[in-house]
Amino acid sequence: MGSEESITRKEIGGSLPVANVQALASNNSRDIPIRYLRPELQSEEVLVDESLQIPTIDMRKLMVDEDGEMEKFHFACKDWGFFQLFNHGVEDKVIEKMKMDVQEFFKLPLKEKNSYAQPPNDIEGYGQAFVVSEDQKLDWGDMLFLLPQPLSQRKMSLWPVKPTSFRATLEKYSSELHKISINLLKSMAKNLDIDPEKLARMFEDGKQGVRMNYYPPCVHADKVMGITPHSDATGLTILVQVNEVQGLQIKKNGKWVPIRPVPGAFIVNIGDIIEIMSNGEYKSIEHRAVVNPENERLSMAAFHSPNDETMIGPLPDLIKENSAANYKTINSEEFVRIIITNKLDGKSLLGHMKFAY
């Protein structure tokens, strides 16, 4: 895997250090610090009708366009921005081993986990993300965030050595999800009537970030938030629930819809970059993670973005004579800087990118 540290990645800013939530929750106090309390949660509607669920896509059929799977996939990307992917080709043992190693990492003593703490001005490591001010509301959760791709920019000093299998497990898991992301992007390109290889090349040597989330239980679960409502600022996200505790909700028609993971499937969602590149044909969707009052919840999300040379903007092949660009085009570094220096806030990132006609 290589042990050399990255010398090419620029410091673009990180997250302000805040208290460890797992340690905070272990005190079993009924008094929640005010920065975690979200009074607005009381007024937000959560859909109880379980018949409304995100589409499911069979990847085996998608690759050969059997039974109209390409059309179903186009609908899922356009109307939902979220879908569950099964028959994806990743062996169960690879996924289960990754889940086990993530659970084992979060069981380590705080002192050991803190040896992988985020360095100043860095988004990688153990801690929290998107904390940009001393007074913003905080999420009820901790995370380990690593960038496995591209290989040349890995920061191995932040990759845990406990459990001892962690590094090899993440190496394999990262590689498998990267393959899935490329195949999905090629299918998107076909549906958008653009060159699949051209879009794939932008992501082949692109960035992959893996965020491992730990949400402790909270006696006031209805007053705190695991992850603030947001859309993903990247291209494509592939998520898996690590334990059996649910908590993912997406916003559909102004209401929050709880997602019930299909066993063995990945949950995939469109990120802001694909919305921008598709000129709005495919939409990133606001989502959040809620907290359980009795049980911890763990999840893993792998984010896929284009390489540093790719300009972030509508793909030129989609801008025809009669269709104007709906989004600005900026370089990758400027786009990342906007992400890192702003707190999570719905789809606010796209506000920086949209033209106001």
Side-chain angles (χ1 to χ4, degrees):
M1 288 192 298
S3 59
E4 65 277 5
E5 292 298 329
S6 165
I7 57 173
T8 56
R9 190 181 296 164
K10 299 176 182 177
E11 285 190 352
I12 52 175
S15 188
L16 296 177
V18 293
N20 180 269
V21 181
Q22 192 173 0
L24 190 65
S26 68
N27 296 331
N28 293 318
S29 172
R30 299 191 69 86
D31 294 324
I32 307 298
I34 193 167
R35 287 186 72 185
Y36 294 95
L37 296 176
R38 308 289 188 107
E40 72 275 9
L41 290 177
Q42 309 301 314
S43 61
E44 296 191 331
E45 185 175 355
V46 177
L47 202 66
V48 291
D49 179 5
E50 294 193 354
S51 65
L52 187 65
Q53 282 294 309
I54 58 176
T56 55
I57 299 296
D58 184 330
M59 191 160 185
R60 196 177 297 154
K61 290 183 178 180
L62 184 66
M63 293 298 95
V64 294
D65 191 19
E66 184 182 323
D67 295 337
E69 205 70 12
M70 282 289 281
E71 187 177 345
K72 282 176 61 181
F73 181 57
H74 183 60
F75 169 79
C77 295
K78 185 174 180 177
D79 284 29
W80 280 90
F82 261 84
F83 55 91
Q84 303 211 44
L85 185 72
F86 63 101
N87 285 336
H88 41 64
V90 183
E91 293 182 77
D92 287 345
K93 65 180 181 181
V94 173
I95 301 170
E96 292 307 313
K97 182 62 177 147
M98 189 74 250
K99 289 179 180 180
M100 285 172 55
D101 283 1
V102 168
Q103 288 175 303
E104 289 303 310
F105 171 79
F106 283 110
K107 287 178 184 175
L108 292 174
L110 180 58
K111 185 177 180 181
E112 285 194 58
K113 292 196 289 278
N114 275 339
S115 63
Y116 305 103
Q118 294 164 327
N121 291 319
D122 203 332
I123 58 173
E124 283 189 82
Y126 178 64
Q128 287 84 19
F130 303 107
V131 183
V132 298
S133 74
E134 298 290 350
D135 58 356
Q136 78 181 69
K137 291 294 185 180
L138 298 176
D139 292 337
W140 191 258
D142 303 314
M143 65 152 201
L144 174 65
F145 182 71
L146 299 170
L147 288 158
Q149 309 282 353
L151 273 63
S152 62
Q153 294 186 20
R154 288 182 180 178
K155 294 185 177 178
M156 297 309 296
S157 61
L158 296 174
W159 285 47
V161 293
K162 287 186 179 179
T164 54
S165 56
F166 185 95
R167 292 184 172 188
T169 303
L170 180 57
E171 165 87 11
K172 176 66 174 174
Y173 186 76
S174 159
S175 173
E176 293 291 336
L177 265 57
H178 178 69
K179 292 175 195 171
I180 290 176
S181 71
I182 295 301
N183 284 327
L184 290 175
L185 287 160
K186 286 180 179 179
S187 295
M188 286 180 193
K190 290 174 185 174
N191 273 335
L192 293 169
D193 200 23
I194 57 177
D195 183 359
E197 296 304 324
K198 188 184 291 186
L199 182 61
R201 277 195 298 273
M202 296 176 183
F203 287 81
E204 276 288 2
D205 57 348
K207 294 186 286 291
Q208 181 196 60
V210 177
R211 175 172 169 151
M212 292 148 269
N213 301 300
Y214 179 89
Y215 308 108
C218 180
V219 289
H220 296 296
D222 59 337
K223 297 178 181 177
V224 300
M225 181 59 62
I227 290 187
T228 299
H230 66 286
S231 58
D232 291 340
T234 51
L236 199 63
T237 303
I238 303 176
L239 178 135
V240 69
Q241 190 168 276
V242 172
N243 61 356
E244 298 306 310
V245 181
Q246 298 178 18
L248 175 65
Q249 298 179 349
I250 71 168
K251 203 163 201 179
K252 181 72 170 172
N253 300 326
K255 298 175 183 178
W256 291 106
V257 180
I259 301 304
R260 298 194 312 277
V262 173
F266 288 120
I267 297 173
V268 182
N269 64 278
I270 303 295
D272 293 340
I273 289 178
I274 290 297
E275 174 168 338
I276 292 166
M277 285 184 161
S278 70
N279 203 32
E281 178 76 3
Y282 293 161
K283 297 285 195 300
S284 63
I285 297 296
E286 206 173 332
H287 54 284
R288 67 183 188 180
V290 296
V291 174
N292 190 283
E294 298 175 353
N295 301 303
E296 64 187 12
R297 177 176 179 262
L298 293 91
S299 67
M300 294 184 295
F303 307 97
H304 300 85
S305 298
N307 58 46
D308 290 336
E309 289 72 45
T310 297
M311 298 295 288
I312 307 300
L315 295 168
D317 292 346
L318 292 177
I319 307 303
K320 309 290 196 295
E321 290 181 16
N322 298 321
S323 60
N326 296 320
Y327 305 85
K328 303 169 188 173
T329 296
I330 62 177
N331 65 44
S332 180
E333 185 178 337
E334 186 180 351
F335 185 78
V336 172
R337 196 177 300 278
I338 293 171
I339 298 170
I340 301 302
T341 56
N342 285 275
K343 66 179 182 179
L344 292 180
D345 183 16
K347 293 187 68 169
S348 62
L349 174 66
L350 289 171
H352 293 277
M353 295 295 293
K354 273 187 176 177
F355 284 123
Y357 289 119

